[in-house]
């Protein structure tokens, strides 16, 4: 079989075997509807409750603060739209200019309805500091939303400080933590976060499932009206198998988090060492606080698209920017936000290593890249 090396873990990850195995009984045998009152519904109902306990435990939340959704996009849409519509006295939203499109386009939608949205421009290194937030926030701000970790450059934002600044002005704080959950330690209660979005397929769980953390006591209008599922905030029969798989994957990742981080960081160092040893000239985008294994590399005067396709021909999957943007050949809004020179931006690729990658993978990736860019 032709070799295949997967190095696009920020786009999606491989389903953990443990998660897959945890899912199958809920598809084949225990297929009852968890909302029904009879005995056959008891097991799926308990599985949903157990999944909330597991997920909450992994992020320092209480189980009743976890709401199942179809993934990061839905969680983001829910917060941005429901928050804006919640309070006629406080209508404004502030986000960073390098958010994922799930946030950007939700904000464009509320903007078209007349709700004010401000876009914060980050520092050159790609950070939103509390000082930057202070320039935008007003008494009319209801929600501040800044992603935990950026999907293109990996920067981890100072969430605790941003949360404090938002609260000082009476605003709520949301973070799109789709790239961070299961990869770095997060304790929502300690950080003071009001809302957090997560998606299972980014932490080795199944696709099409995720959750929204809503801090107890914080009001948010329902996302979908209908049945009484999710405390009547997100109607629709639950996907029990996917939810169980998500909880199993998150637990597995959180149990081994530091170990995985170390392994991925070692691979990252090896990759950069190989490039440096071969005298490759590149710029690594982003600042010092980054997700392990996410490398945004720019090669002056090169074409990122062309690098991606040549790597693909060699059986290696990488990305130019975010997966959601792969059809859009314009310079990504993230690279624009960090004011990367156009000559560098056009030659940018994203390599995102995961826990399943090996040293051999990295040796092959480095050799391929050296062959293409030198
Ligand atoms: N937010 C971020 C930061 C992401 O990276 C992604 C996916 O790439 C999403 C949201 C969307 O998540 P989902 O694919 O679960 O809808």
């Amino acid at each position: 079989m032709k070799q295949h090396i997967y190095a696009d873990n920020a786009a999606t990850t491989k389903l953990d075997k443990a998660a897959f195995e945890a899912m199958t009984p809920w598809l084949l045998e225990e297929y009852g509807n968890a909302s029904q009152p009879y005995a056959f519904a008891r097991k799926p109902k308990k599985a949903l409750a157990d999944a909330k306990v597991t997920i909450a435990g992994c992020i320092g939340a209480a189980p009743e603060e976890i709401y199942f959704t179809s993934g990061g996009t839905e969680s983001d849409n829910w917060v941005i739209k429901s928050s804006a519509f919640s309070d006629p006295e406080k209508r404004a939203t502030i986000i960073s200019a390098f958010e994922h499109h799930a946030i950007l386009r939700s904000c464009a939608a509320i903007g078209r309805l007349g709700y004010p949205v401000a876009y914060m421009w980050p520092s050159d290194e790609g950070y939103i500091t509390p000082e930057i937030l202070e320039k935008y926030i007003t008494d009319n701000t209801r929600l501040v939303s800044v992603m935990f970790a950026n999907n293109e450059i990996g920067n981890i934002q100072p969430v605790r400080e941003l949360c404090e600044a938002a609260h000082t002005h009476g605003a709520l704080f949301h973070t799109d933590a789709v790239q961070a959950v299961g990869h770095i330690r997060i304790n929502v209660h300690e950080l003071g976060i009001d809302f957090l979005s997560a998606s299972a397929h980014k932490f080795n769980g199944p696709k099409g499932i995720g959750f929204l953390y809503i801090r107890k006591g914080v009001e948010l209008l329902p996302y979908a009206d209908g049945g009484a599922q999710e405390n009547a905030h997100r109607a629709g029969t639950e996907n029990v198998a996917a939810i169980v798989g998500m909880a199993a994957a998150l637990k597995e990742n959180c149990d081994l988090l530091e170990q995985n981080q170390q392994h991925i960081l070692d691979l990252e160092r090896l990759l950069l060492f190989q490039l440096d040893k071969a005298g490759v000239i590149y710029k690594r985008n982003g600042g010092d606080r980054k997700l392990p294994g996410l490398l945004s590399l720019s090669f002056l005067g090169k074409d990122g698209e062309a690098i991606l396709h040549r790597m693909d021909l060699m059986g290696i999957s990488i990305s130019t920017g975010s997966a959601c943007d792969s059809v859009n050949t314009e310079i990504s809004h993230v690279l624009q936000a960090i004011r990367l020179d156009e000559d560098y931006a056009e030659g940018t690729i994203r390599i995102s290593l995961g826990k399943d990658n090996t040293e051999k993978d990295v040796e092959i990736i480095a050799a391929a890249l050296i062959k293409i860019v030198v």
Side-chain angles (χ1 to χ4, degrees), residues 10-11 70-73 76 100 102 147 149 151 176 178-179 199 201-202 324:
S70 65
T73 301
D76 286 348
H100 188 270
M147 67 204 315
N151 49 306
D176 173 342
V178 166
Q179 293 290 340
S199 178
H201 74 101
K202 307 285 187 181
C324 314

Side-chain angles (χ1 to χ4, degrees), residues 144-201:
V144 175
S145 178
V146 178
M147 67 204 315
F148 213 109
N150 185 272
N151 49 306
E152 286 189 45
I153 56 173
N155 280 14
I156 299 170
Q157 300 298 325
V159 166
R160 182 194 302 275
E161 291 78 7
L162 293 172
C163 232
E164 275 169 20
H167 290 163
T168 305
H169 291 270
L172 294 168
F173 186 84
H174 167 248
T175 186
D176 173 342
V178 166
Q179 293 290 340
V181 169
H183 302 286
I184 51 176
R185 286 264 172 241
I186 295 178
N187 186 309
V188 285
H189 286 177
E190 270 177 32
L191 293 169
I193 294 166
D194 298 299
F195 310 108
L196 173 143
S197 303
S199 178
H201 74 101

